[in-house]
Amino acid sequence: MSRSGKVSAALAGVLLSGLAWTVAPVAPVASAADNPRAVITSPSTGAGVDTGVPLLITGIAFNGEAGGIIAVEVTFDGGTSWQLAGDAETWAITHTPDTAGPLTIQARASTASVVGVPTPVVTLVVGAAGSPPSLSCPCTLWPPTLPDRPVIQDPDQEPVELGLRIRPDRDGTLASLTVRRGTWTGPLIGRVWSGAGTLLAEQQVPAGTAAYRVITFATPAVLTAGSEYVVSYYTPAGGYAATEDYFSGTLAMAPFVAPHDGVRGAGVYHYGVGGGFPADSWRDSNYWLMPTLTT
């Protein structure tokens, strides 16, 4: 959507509040054919998240060749109560933790005849730095697919810088950035910024038609655990890929956190010839930037 369209739509927009349903546990029914399973893809166990800020929880569900997933539920109290998160093989839900301390998450999937076994517990630290899991990096943040949130090819033809706010959970260097391209196939400029808008790294890449473009920085940016940064790319003639209503909460996938600050999601942009530090937001959009951290 063009800048003028964003402004007009924003003035006329209506804020919709999501509803959460608590459902009573259903006793499993024995079945030789059904074995539904759920997997939590984010957040990563050990992540530190903020109090009073929505957290994005995503996952998948499967039941072999039989299919037939009709519900995925999550629990934050060890199974005392369950909350509906979706009814398909990809699912997502937001949850706003209001108490500092450990937060546990489990999920389970159901068919019409069987309630599956809950997933292993994912434990987060609310209101403090977490204990990030051990990883052997380079590691790339590859955002999960969310249900009913398609990738669109925005026909906007204005010069724009698209970005992603990130917070690494460990020290490292950011040496490359993968961009999911839109319709524009001309040259791009990749950039890394501090959270305050200081340019830390910049790299121009030539034109190309590949659906995904890797931008490798000649001089990698040095990142510090817990500090906020923005990775971005400038496209002088628009034509970018985007998914609206994506970053409705903080996405915590080690070694990255893509934070929601209670007002805006992690996706940001800036209009103007030559680009610039992106700080504006539009409908929690994801502009499909995938940074790689080396430790």
Side-chain angles (χ1 to χ4, degrees), residues 91-133:
W91 53 272
I93 189 173
T94 57
H95 173 74
T96 301
D98 56 9
T99 303
L103 172 68
T104 62
I105 307 172
Q106 287 179 281
R108 68 183 183 186
S110 302
T111 63
S113 59
V114 174
V115 175
V117 176
T119 62
V121 175
V122 172
T123 301
L124 310 179
V125 180
V126 179
S131 300

Coordinates of all heavy atoms in Angstrom, one line a residue, residues 91-133:
W91 N -0.9 -23.0 13.0 CA -1.8 -22.2 13.9 C -0.9 -21.2 14.6 O 0.3 -21.2 14.6 CB -2.3 -23.2 15.0 CG -1.3 -24.0 15.7 CD1 -0.8 -25.3 15.3 CD2 -0.6 -23.7 16.9 NE1 0.1 -25.7 16.2 CE2 0.3 -24.8 17.2 CE3 -0.6 -22.6 17.8 CZ2 1.1 -24.8 18.3 CZ3 0.2 -22.7 18.9 CH2 1.0 -23.8 19.1
A92 N -1.6 -20.2 15.2 CA -0.9 -19.1 15.9 C -1.9 -18.5 16.8 O -3.1 -18.4 16.6 CB -0.4 -18.0 14.9
I93 N -1.4 -17.9 17.9 CA -2.2 -17.3 18.9 C -1.3 -16.3 19.7 O -0.1 -16.5 19.7 CB -2.8 -18.3 19.9 CG1 -3.8 -17.6 20.9 CG2 -1.7 -19.0 20.7 CD1 -4.5 -18.6 21.8
T94 N -1.8 -15.2 20.2 CA -1.1 -14.3 21.0 C -1.5 -14.4 22.5 O -2.7 -14.7 22.7 CB -1.2 -12.8 20.5 OG1 -2.6 -12.5 20.5 CG2 -0.6 -12.6 19.2
H95 N -0.5 -14.2 23.3 CA -0.8 -14.3 24.8 C 0.0 -13.2 25.4 O 1.2 -13.0 25.1 CB -0.4 -15.6 25.3 CG -0.5 -15.7 26.8 ND1 -1.7 -15.8 27.5 CD2 0.5 -15.7 27.8 CE1 -1.4 -15.9 28.8 NE2 -0.1 -15.8 29.0
T96 N -0.6 -12.4 26.3 CA 0.1 -11.3 27.0 C 0.3 -11.7 28.5 O -0.6 -11.7 29.3 CB -0.8 -10.0 27.0 OG1 -1.1 -9.7 25.6 CG2 0.0 -8.9 27.6
P97 N 1.6 -12.0 28.8 CA 1.9 -12.4 30.2 C 1.9 -11.1 31.1 O 2.4 -10.1 30.7 CB 3.3 -13.0 30.1 CG 3.9 -12.4 28.8 CD 2.8 -12.2 27.9
D98 N 1.2 -11.2 32.2 CA 1.1 -10.1 33.1 C 1.8 -10.2 34.4 O 1.7 -9.3 35.3 CB -0.4 -9.8 33.3 CG -1.2 -11.0 33.9 OD1 -0.5 -12.0 34.3 OD2 -2.4 -10.9 34.0
T99 N 2.5 -11.3 34.6 CA 3.2 -11.6 35.8 C 4.7 -11.9 35.5 O 5.0 -12.8 34.7 CB 2.6 -12.7 36.6 OG1 1.2 -12.4 36.9 CG2 3.3 -12.9 38.0
A100 N 5.6 -11.3 36.2 CA 7.0 -11.6 36.0 C 7.3 -13.0 36.6 O 6.7 -13.4 37.6 CB 7.9 -10.5 36.7
G101 N 8.3 -13.6 35.9 CA 8.7 -15.0 36.4 C 8.6 -16.0 35.3 O 8.4 -15.6 34.1
P102 N 8.7 -17.3 35.6 CA 8.6 -18.3 34.5 C 7.2 -18.4 33.9 O 6.2 -18.3 34.6 CB 9.0 -19.6 35.3 CG 8.8 -19.3 36.7 CD 8.9 -17.8 36.9
L103 N 7.2 -18.6 32.6 CA 5.9 -18.9 31.9 C 6.1 -20.2 31.2 O 7.0 -20.4 30.4 CB 5.6 -17.7 30.9 CG 4.4 -18.0 30.0 CD1 3.1 -18.0 30.8 CD2 4.4 -16.9 28.9
T104 N 5.1 -21.1 31.4 CA 5.2 -22.4 30.7 C 4.1 -22.5 29.6 O 3.0 -21.9 29.8 CB 5.0 -23.6 31.7 OG1 3.7 -23.5 32.3 CG2 6.1 -23.6 32.7
I105 N 4.4 -23.1 28.5 CA 3.5 -23.3 27.4 C 3.5 -24.7 26.9 O 4.6 -25.3 26.8 CB 3.9 -22.3 26.2 CG1 4.0 -20.9 26.7 CG2 2.8 -22.4 25.1 CD1 4.6 -20.0 25.6
Q106 N 2.4 -25.3 26.7 CA 2.2 -26.5 26.0 C 1.1 -26.4 25.0 O 0.2 -25.6 25.1 CB 1.9 -27.7 27.0 CG 3.1 -28.1 27.9 CD 2.7 -29.2 28.9 OE1 2.1 -28.9 29.9 NE2 3.0 -30.4 28.6
A107 N 1.1 -27.3 24.0 CA 0.0 -27.4 23.0 C -0.4 -28.8 22.8 O 0.4 -29.8 23.1 CB 0.5 -26.8 21.7
R108 N -1.6 -29.0 22.3 CA -2.1 -30.3 21.9 C -3.0 -30.2 20.7 O -3.6 -29.2 20.5 CB -2.8 -31.0 23.1 CG -4.1 -30.4 23.5 CD -4.7 -31.1 24.7 NE -6.0 -30.5 25.0 CZ -6.8 -30.8 26.1 NH1 -6.3 -31.7 26.9 NH2 -8.0 -30.2 26.3
A109 N -3.1 -31.2 19.9 CA -3.9 -31.3 18.7 C -5.0 -32.3 18.9 O -4.8 -33.3 19.6 CB -3.1 -31.5 17.5
S110 N -6.1 -32.1 18.2 CA -7.2 -33.0 18.3 C -7.8 -33.3 17.0 O -7.8 -32.5 16.1 CB -8.3 -32.5 19.2 OG -7.9 -32.1 20.5
T111 N -8.3 -34.6 16.8 CA -9.2 -34.9 15.7 C -10.6 -35.1 16.3 O -10.8 -34.8 17.5 CB -8.8 -36.2 15.0 OG1 -8.9 -37.3 16.0 CG2 -7.3 -36.1 14.5
A112 N -11.5 -35.5 15.5 CA -12.9 -35.7 15.9 C -13.0 -36.7 17.0 O -13.9 -36.7 17.8 CB -13.8 -36.0 14.8
S113 N -12.0 -37.7 17.1 CA -12.1 -38.8 18.0 C -11.0 -38.8 19.0 O -11.2 -39.6 20.0 CB -12.1 -40.1 17.2 OG -11.0 -40.2 16.4
V114 N -9.9 -38.1 18.8 CA -8.8 -38.2 19.7 C -8.2 -36.9 20.1 O -8.1 -36.0 19.3 CB -7.7 -39.1 19.1 CG1 -6.4 -39.1 19.9 CG2 -8.1 -40.5 18.8
V115 N -7.9 -36.7 21.4 CA -7.2 -35.5 21.9 C -5.7 -36.0 22.0 O -5.4 -36.9 22.8 CB -7.7 -35.0 23.2 CG1 -6.8 -33.9 23.7 CG2 -9.1 -34.5 23.0
G116 N -4.8 -35.3 21.3 CA -3.4 -35.8 21.3 C -2.7 -35.5 22.6 O -3.1 -34.8 23.5
V117 N -1.5 -36.1 22.7 CA -0.6 -35.9 23.9 C 0.0 -34.5 23.9 O 0.4 -34.0 22.8 CB 0.5 -36.9 23.9 CG1 1.5 -36.7 25.0 CG2 -0.1 -38.3 24.0
P118 N 0.0 -33.8 25.0 CA 0.6 -32.4 25.0 C 2.1 -32.4 24.6 O 2.8 -33.4 24.8 CB 0.4 -32.0 26.4 CG -0.7 -32.8 27.0 CD -0.6 -34.1 26.3
T119 N 2.5 -31.3 24.0 CA 3.9 -31.1 23.7 C 4.8 -31.1 24.9 O 4.3 -30.8 26.0 CB 4.1 -29.9 22.9 OG1 3.7 -28.7 23.7 CG2 3.3 -29.9 21.6
P120 N 6.1 -31.2 24.8 CA 7.0 -30.9 25.9 C 6.8 -29.4 26.3 O 6.4 -28.6 25.5 CB 8.4 -31.1 25.3 CG 8.2 -32.1 24.2 CD 6.8 -31.8 23.6
V121 N 7.1 -29.1 27.5 CA 6.9 -27.8 28.0 C 8.0 -26.8 27.5 O 9.1 -27.1 27.4 CB 7.0 -27.8 29.6 CG1 6.9 -26.4 30.1 CG2 5.9 -28.6 30.2
V122 N 7.5 -25.6 27.0 CA 8.4 -24.5 26.7 C 8.3 -23.5 27.8 O 7.2 -23.1 28.2 CB 7.9 -23.9 25.3 CG1 8.7 -22.6 25.1 CG2 8.1 -24.8 24.2
T123 N 9.5 -23.2 28.4 CA 9.5 -22.3 29.6 C 10.2 -21.0 29.2 O 11.3 -21.1 28.7 CB 10.2 -23.0 30.7 OG1 9.5 -24.2 31.1 CG2 10.2 -22.1 32.0
L124 N 9.6 -19.9 29.4 CA 10.1 -18.6 29.2 C 10.3 -17.9 30.5 O 9.8 -18.2 31.5 CB 9.2 -17.8 28.3 CG 8.6 -18.4 27.0 CD1 7.7 -17.5 26.3 CD2 9.8 -18.9 26.1
V125 N 11.1 -16.8 30.4 CA 11.3 -15.9 31.6 C 10.7 -14.6 31.2 O 11.0 -13.9 30.3 CB 12.8 -15.7 31.9 CG1 13.0 -14.8 33.1 CG2 13.5 -17.0 32.1
V126 N 9.6 -14.2 32.0 CA 8.9 -13.0 31.8 C 9.5 -11.9 32.7 O 9.7 -12.0 33.9 CB 7.4 -13.2 32.1 CG1 6.6 -11.9 31.9 CG2 6.8 -14.3 31.2
G127 N 9.8 -10.7 32.0 CA 10.2 -9.6 32.8 C 11.7 -9.5 33.1 O 12.2 -8.7 33.9
A128 N 12.5 -10.4 32.5 CA 14.0 -10.5 32.7 C 14.6 -11.2 31.6 O 14.0 -11.8 30.7 CB 14.3 -11.2 34.0
A129 N 15.9 -11.1 31.5 CA 16.7 -11.8 30.5 C 16.6 -13.3 30.7 O 16.6 -13.7 31.8 CB 18.2 -11.3 30.5
G130 N 16.5 -14.0 29.6 CA 16.3 -15.4 29.7 C 17.7 -16.1 29.7 O 18.7 -15.5 29.7
S131 N 17.6 -17.4 29.6 CA 18.8 -18.3 29.4 C 18.7 -18.9 28.1 O 18.1 -19.9 27.9 CB 18.9 -19.3 30.5 OG 19.0 -18.7 31.8
P132 N 19.3 -18.3 27.1 CA 19.2 -18.8 25.7 C 19.7 -20.2 25.5 O 20.7 -20.6 26.1 CB 20.0 -17.8 24.8 CG 20.9 -17.1 25.8 CD 20.2 -17.1 27.1
P133 N 19.0 -21.0 24.7 CA 19.5 -22.3 24.4 C 20.8 -22.4 23.7 O 21.2 -21.4 23.0 CB 18.3 -22.9 23.6 CG 17.7 -21.7 22.9 CD 17.8 -20.6 23.9

